[in-house]
Amino acid sequence: MTSRFTELAVDCHDPERLAAFWCAVLDFKVIDRNSGKVEIGSWEPTIEEVRARQMPPTLLFIQVPEGKTVKNRLHLDISPIDGSTDDEVTRLLGLGATKRDVGQGPDRTWMVMADPEGNEFCVLRTLAVTRHG
């Protein structure tokens, strides 16, 4: 017997707004929405595919009445694929993200940011191909 990691649920006030932000960040699309919930992903899961092998999880934004009060215990790490980390931070700021200081110090190679509802995430090193010569 085993289980699959299928969704990561994020409590929020405005599921539509947060789903739109993360779709723009990750190039995901909305794959389901209903009362107070929006699910996004890079693919539309089918039961057969999920049962066959571990697939990328989706993000599920669920509307809740309470607000965020403390630093997240769980967060997303993202890596730019076609530009520098600094360029990606600039793009994310334009989408509504903010820089966050959670005590990480100035000598880090990553940037801690927060989405429009204050959920922390990290922008790691770029995975973009660099050309030499």
Side-chain angles (χ1 to χ4, degrees), residues 111-122:
M111 174 64 65
V112 178
M113 301 189 80
D115 70 18
E117 289 206 15
N119 300 299
E120 295 89 8
F121 65 96
C122 294

Side-chain angles (χ1 to χ4, degrees), residues 3 5 13-14 18 58 68 75 112:
S3 294
F5 177 21
H13 284 291
D14 188 344
L18 225 44
T58 60
K68 181 179 174 310
H75 68 266
V112 178

Side-chain angles (χ1 to χ4, degrees), residues 18 20 43 54 61 84 86 91 119:
L18 225 44
W43 66 298
Q54 181 63 57
F61 300 97
S84 72
D86 289 342
R91 183 179 82 90
N119 300 299

Side-chain angles (χ1 to χ4, degrees), residues 19-59:
F21 171 82
W22 283 104
C23 279
V25 171
L26 300 171
D27 194 26
F28 278 15
K29 63 182 179 187
V30 172
I31 57 175
D32 190 31
R33 64 169 38 101
N34 56 47
S35 180
K37 297 179 185 177
V38 180
E39 185 175 12
I40 66 172
S42 60
W43 66 298
E44 284 202 49
T46 66
I47 291 174
E48 294 76 24
E49 289 173 311
V50 171
R51 290 181 70 173
R53 66 189 175 283
Q54 181 63 57
M55 302 293 286
T58 60
L59 293 175

Side-chain angles (χ1 to χ4, degrees), residues 71-86:
K71 178 179 163 277
N72 294 7
R73 295 287 304 263
L74 175 73
H75 68 266
L76 300 180
D77 286 345
I78 64 171
S79 298
I81 59 169
D82 55 8
S84 72
T85 300
D86 289 342

